[in-house]
Amino acid sequence: MKPTKKILIISYYWPPAGGPGVQRWLKFVKYLPDFNIEPHVYIPDNPTYPLLDEKLVSEVSDKAIIIKQPIFEPYGLASVFSKNKTKKISSGIIPNQKKQSFVEKAMLWIRGNVFIPDARVFWVNPSVKFLKKYLKEHQIDTIVTTGPPHSIHLIGLQLKKELNITWLADFRDPWTTIGYHKQLKLSSWAANKHKSLEKEVMNTCDQLIVTSPSTKTDFQMITSKPIEVITNGYDEEVVSKKPLDEKFTLAHIGSFLSARNPQILWKALRELTEENSEFNQQFQLKLIGAVSAEVLQSIKEFKLENHVNLLGYMPHNEAIIEQRSSQVLLLIEIDSEETKCIIPGKLFEYMVSERPIIAIGPENADFAQIIKETNTGTFFKYNEFDTLKKQISTCFEEFQQNNLKVNPVGLQQYSRKSLTEKLSKLLNSKF
């Protein structure tokens, strides 16, 4: 048997952080020991997480070696002025530009122009100093950095330069092409600095890992370094089973950002409630997670507020229970060229929930192909109003007949263990 390979994973998000950012490497770390890889995980000791899920702490592998070091985050100081606004911006919920307060505009400008690439940049130098010693003492020659926040990649960049170790840079989301990047009120100097750092990271690391084919295509315009697509996935989760909702529930799980506000959906639902009295009586919109004020306002403008069940943020395992008891699951992505590469992490949990997905997103969205190939739902572009409305109506008819279901195929390739095996082969074969 080969000796166990040690790797160091550098991540900002880790339990008790909640939200999608923590899931990817929490699950990789869970399964890496099955492939003869010993994970050392470096995380901040006192982070300012916008969302907390204490129950995820119990999912951390007892075979993982966790290392913590203090971090200074200016979000802690900013919260003195406006804790709620700071929390929203740090979690990615950026208010509509026309409705931003002076404090919000100032915070966004500082976020984009002062803290480059992000507000966790102050953790870079102390981490490099600590990890140089740690890597030598534990004879670790391979590191993985995962971002966002992309300042984590700067730790890898510096360690690569000083120790010439093997470095894999994992991009859960793009850097300068992600949707909210343009909303950071960047000066030309700051925009160039972001691009310069992005290019240096991509051309200095040994291997890039991305979560979608479109991101790989975009990154190939910046670097000739090898790029591997390893999507997010689902885990075999044992959760309490709850009967299907008695109402015809359309459920959205996760942050519902203002830029994702799907007018096409609200219009279809409004017309269906007006045209079909039974639909009007039975329909419920179930929202789990942070929902922007703009989305709630649109729902109200389309006179759907009486159909809303706003459950707010809940622990991951509770959200899964609600998800699996819903009649239909909604997946909404921003209608822009920049977001076609985004494959939301919740898609994979949706796919194993055995509930039909109705997805709305940009043309040529990567996740549309996955939904089609796995037979887990239906995808609509933002100009396909009539077919969207018809599909919701069809789902309602099947619900009334107690026949609303899906028949998925080929899901195993997206299991967390299968994806970790792919990662382990990458780690062992090339390095």
Side-chain angles (χ1 to χ4, degrees):
M1 187 175 179
K2 289 196 307 181
T4 300
K5 180 179 180 62
K6 298 178 183 179
I7 67 165
L8 175 73
I9 298 151
I10 306 171
S11 178
Y12 176 78
Y13 291 106
W14 193 254
V22 70
Q23 293 287 332
R24 182 172 172 84
W25 281 92
L26 174 64
K27 303 302 184 181
F28 280 147
V29 167
K30 175 181 177 180
Y31 292 114
L32 278 171
D34 293 348
F35 301 101
N36 207 36
I37 295 174
E38 179 181 276
H40 295 236
V41 185
Y42 177 73
I43 56 174
D45 186 35
N46 54 325
T48 306
Y49 292 140
L51 297 171
L52 294 175
D53 188 344
E54 298 287 350
K55 292 183 179 179
L56 287 180
V57 175
S58 64
E59 294 191 31
V60 176
S61 170
D62 57 6
K63 295 180 181 177
I65 298 163
I66 310 297
I67 317 114
K68 299 181 180 182
Q69 283 290 293
I71 184 172
F72 166 73
E73 295 188 79
Y75 281 131
L77 296 177
S79 65
V80 172
F81 300 99
S82 180
K83 188 172 183 178
N84 188 45
K85 288 182 173 64
T86 301
K87 189 173 182 179
K88 283 186 176 181
I89 289 174
S90 68
S91 64
I93 297 179
I94 297 178
N96 185 296
Q97 193 166 354
K98 295 177 182 177
K99 299 179 181 179
Q100 288 170 10
S101 67
F102 173 79
V103 170
E104 287 168 333
K105 288 178 181 177
M107 287 173 65
L108 284 170
W109 188 91
I110 293 169
R111 157 71 178 83
N113 294 274
V114 178
F115 305 131
I116 299 175
D118 51 65
R120 282 85 187 199
V121 70
F122 297 102
W123 200 42
V124 174
N125 289 337
S127 295
V128 170
K129 183 179 179 181
F130 172 80
L131 290 174
K132 279 166 61 179
K133 185 178 178 182
Y134 186 89
L135 290 165
K136 288 177 181 177
E137 286 178 351
H138 293 81
Q139 297 181 311
I140 300 172
D141 60 6
T142 302
I143 65 169
V144 178
T145 56
T146 179
H150 297 302
S151 55
I152 300 302
H153 295 311
L154 301 189
I155 299 173
L157 178 65
Q158 202 58 37
L159 289 172
K160 176 68 177 177
K161 287 179 178 178
E162 297 192 28
L163 301 180
N164 195 31
I165 53 176
T166 299
W167 170 31
L168 291 80
D170 174 62
F171 282 80
R172 301 190 314 276
D173 285 324
W175 187 332
T176 61
T177 57
I178 197 164
Y180 64 75
H181 193 74
K182 292 178 180 178
Q183 300 178 51
L184 297 178
K185 307 182 186 300
L186 299 175
S187 66
S188 57
W189 176 85
N192 289 333
K193 182 67 174 175
H194 277 278
K195 284 190 174 293
S196 174
L197 287 173
E198 176 186 54
K199 186 175 182 180
E200 187 177 9
V201 163
M202 290 186 188
N203 284 289
T204 306
C205 70
D206 297 284
Q207 172 79 48
L208 284 150
I209 304 172
V210 296
T211 58
S212 74
S214 290
T215 302
K216 177 178 179 176
T217 301
D218 290 344
F219 282 11
Q220 284 173 329
M221 304 292 289
I222 302 173
T223 182
S224 60
K225 289 296 177 83
I227 306 172
E228 187 78 21
V229 177
I230 303 181
T231 66
N232 290 307
Y234 68 87
D235 208 7
E236 302 290 350
E237 296 181 271
V238 180
V239 295
S240 303
K241 194 153 187 180
K242 181 181 169 185
L244 286 175
D245 296 336
E246 293 183 6
K247 290 264 192 181
F248 178 61
T249 46
L250 271 65
H252 182 277
I253 290 90
S255 297
F256 214 146
L257 311 181
S258 55
R260 287 190 188 133
N261 193 0
Q263 305 287 322
I264 178 178
L265 176 62
W266 310 142
K267 183 182 177 186
L269 292 170
R270 178 59 190 162
E271 289 189 7
L272 286 167
T273 57
E274 289 176 335
E275 296 165 2
N276 186 329
S277 60
E278 289 187 16
F279 186 93
N280 187 47
Q281 289 175 357
Q282 306 240 28
F283 162 62
Q284 184 182 91
L285 181 64
K286 187 159 68 170
L287 302 177
I288 299 170
V291 182
S292 76
E294 288 78 16
V295 169
L296 293 174
Q297 180 59 34
S298 288
I299 290 170
K300 189 173 182 179
E301 287 170 0
F302 281 91
K303 300 179 181 177
L304 296 169
E305 68 269 27
N306 291 335
H307 297 277
V308 173
N309 183 12
L310 189 61
L311 296 175
Y313 180 78
M314 57 175 56
H316 181 254
N317 65 325
E318 293 177 26
I320 294 293
I321 293 169
E322 287 293 336
Q323 175 178 294
R324 294 181 182 182
S325 67
S326 302
Q327 295 292 345
V328 176
L329 300 172
L330 295 172
L331 188 66
I332 315 294
E333 194 44 80
I334 299 167
D335 186 22
S336 73
E337 179 69 18
E338 291 89 351
T339 57
K340 70 179 185 181
C341 67
I342 302 296
I343 304 177
K346 64 180 165 234
L347 167 63
F348 304 97
E349 292 177 346
Y350 275 17
M351 293 192 315
V352 291
S353 67
E354 299 180 357
R355 305 312 306 150
I357 300 167
I358 289 180
I360 304 171
E363 190 169 4
N364 299 319
D366 284 343
F367 69 86
Q369 189 63 26
I370 294 176
I371 291 172
K372 182 179 179 181
E373 288 175 354
T374 57
N375 194 40
T376 48
T378 318
F379 172 84
F380 301 92
K381 300 191 290 288
Y382 276 81
N383 61 357
E384 295 181 316
F385 171 79
D386 290 337
T387 50
L388 170 64
K389 180 182 173 184
K390 185 177 179 180
Q391 178 62 22
I392 297 172
S393 181
T394 299
C395 286
F396 180 64
E397 289 170 11
E398 291 174 352
F399 160 78
Q400 289 180 304
Q401 297 161 8
N402 199 28
N403 193 36
L404 181 57
K405 57 186 178 181
V406 288
N407 298 293
V409 293
L411 296 186
Q412 183 57 34
Q413 62 183 308
Y414 297 110
S415 75
R416 295 283 190 182
K417 188 159 187 176
S418 293
L419 294 166
T420 307
E421 183 177 15
K422 187 175 181 180
L423 173 65
S424 70
K425 288 177 178 177
L426 189 67
L427 287 163
N428 284 317
S429 65
K430 292 194 174 184
F431 311 111

